[in-house]
């Protein structure tokens, strides 16, 4: 049987639990996590939260889909026009790469286009080289368009030490 990537809708705040349960059952899954960096009381705190609330991607056969439906925290697969929504491997890998590279990602709803490709201007890869046509760089942020899900992922460009001087902080000396 042929495996495909599907999207499963979970009960609220059960994404990580479902991912762990699927992994125990040896069903490949992907729960994109958003690395949230917050400064509290002058200390950096990092937490990981599901990027898409109440959704987990699963790589499954039709037989495994029945097993997945019977897991307690699963509501159902996401359907479009009477059949489960399927995703291409490159879409999953692009989301995986984007969530690995960036933190504090926000979501913006867009129009759903199942025939649409992930698209934009540039792609930012793990080795920090710009390739392909998937991530747009617009006004100090990166945008990844996901037309099949109806979302745009937005991540702010991280400022390097050189960027500090470009934002009007030339007179501040470090360590003083």
């Amino acid at each position: 049987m042929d495996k495909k990537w599907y999207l499963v809708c979970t009960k609220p705040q059960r994404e990580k639990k479902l991912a762990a349960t699927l992994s125990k059952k040896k069903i490949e899954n992907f729960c994109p996590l958003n690395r949230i960096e917050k400064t509290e009381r002058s200390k950096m705190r990092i937490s990981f939260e599901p990027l898409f609330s109440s959704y987990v991607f699963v790589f499954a056969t039709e037989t495994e889909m029945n097993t997945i439906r019977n897991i307690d925290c699963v509501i159902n697969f996401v359907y479009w026009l009477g059949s489960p929504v399927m995703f291409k491997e490159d879409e999953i890998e692009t989301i995986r790469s984007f969530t690995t590279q960036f933190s504090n990602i926000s979501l913006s709803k867009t129009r759903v286009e199942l025939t649409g490709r992930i698209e934009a201007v540039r792609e930012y890869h793990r080795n920090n080289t710009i390739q392909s046509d998937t991530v747009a760089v617009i006004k100090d942020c990166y945008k990844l368009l996901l037309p099949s899900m109806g979302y745009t992922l937005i991540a702010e460009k991280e400022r390097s030490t050189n960027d500090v001087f470009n934002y009007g902080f030339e007179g501040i000396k470090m360590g003083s």
Side-chain angles (χ1 to χ4, degrees):
M1 293 193 156
D2 198 26
K3 286 189 169 192
K4 295 184 171 119
W5 282 102
Y6 298 100
L7 190 59
V8 174
C9 185
T10 70
K11 292 180 181 175
Q13 300 177 352
R14 299 291 171 92
E15 305 88 353
K16 290 181 186 179
K17 182 178 180 179
L18 176 60
T21 303
L22 291 169
S23 294
K24 284 180 186 176
K25 293 180 181 277
K26 301 205 183 325
I27 297 174
E28 188 177 349
N29 64 85
F30 174 50
C31 178
L33 297 176
N34 188 8
R35 185 176 63 237
I36 307 293
E37 298 175 354
K38 294 181 183 176
T39 305
E40 293 178 359
R41 298 180 189 173
S42 68
K43 289 187 179 182
M44 179 64 78
R45 186 178 141 244
I46 298 174
S47 64
F48 292 89
E49 299 173 4
L51 183 60
F52 303 106
S53 66
S54 297
Y55 293 116
V56 174
F57 295 95
V58 295
F59 191 59
T61 63
E62 288 185 27
T63 307
E64 290 173 322
M65 288 173 72
N66 291 326
T67 304
I68 294 166
R69 277 188 189 95
N70 293 324
I71 297 173
D72 184 46
C73 54
V74 170
I75 294 175
N76 202 356
F77 285 84
V78 176
Y79 281 78
W80 180 265
L81 300 176
S83 60
V85 176
M86 290 181 275
F87 293 87
K88 296 176 186 165
E89 182 73 33
D90 65 334
E91 290 177 297
I92 301 299
E93 286 306 314
T94 303
I95 295 169
R96 193 181 311 264
S97 177
F98 195 85
T99 56
T100 301
Q101 279 297 316
F102 301 105
S103 57
N104 299 323
I105 300 169
S106 60
L107 295 176
S108 173
K109 289 196 175 208
T110 59
R111 195 177 67 194
V112 174
E113 295 177 29
L114 289 182
T115 57
R117 284 186 43 223
I118 294 176
E119 61 180 79
V121 178
R122 298 180 196 162
E123 183 172 60
Y124 193 85
H125 282 279
R126 291 179 199 180
N127 60 5
N128 295 334
T129 60
I130 306 270
Q131 298 177 357
S132 178
D133 291 335
T134 57
V135 176
V137 182
I138 303 167
K139 292 186 181 179
D140 292 337
C141 69
Y142 294 92
K143 290 188 176 187
L144 174 62
L145 308 173
L146 302 171
S148 59
M149 286 189 71
Y151 282 108
T152 298
L153 306 183
I154 304 165
E156 287 186 18
K157 286 169 85 173
E158 300 202 8
R159 294 181 180 157
S160 67
T161 311
N162 294 335
D163 289 339
V164 171
F165 298 108
N166 294 332
Y167 286 91
F169 299 105
E170 298 91 350
I172 297 175
K173 293 183 182 177
M174 298 300 216
S176 45

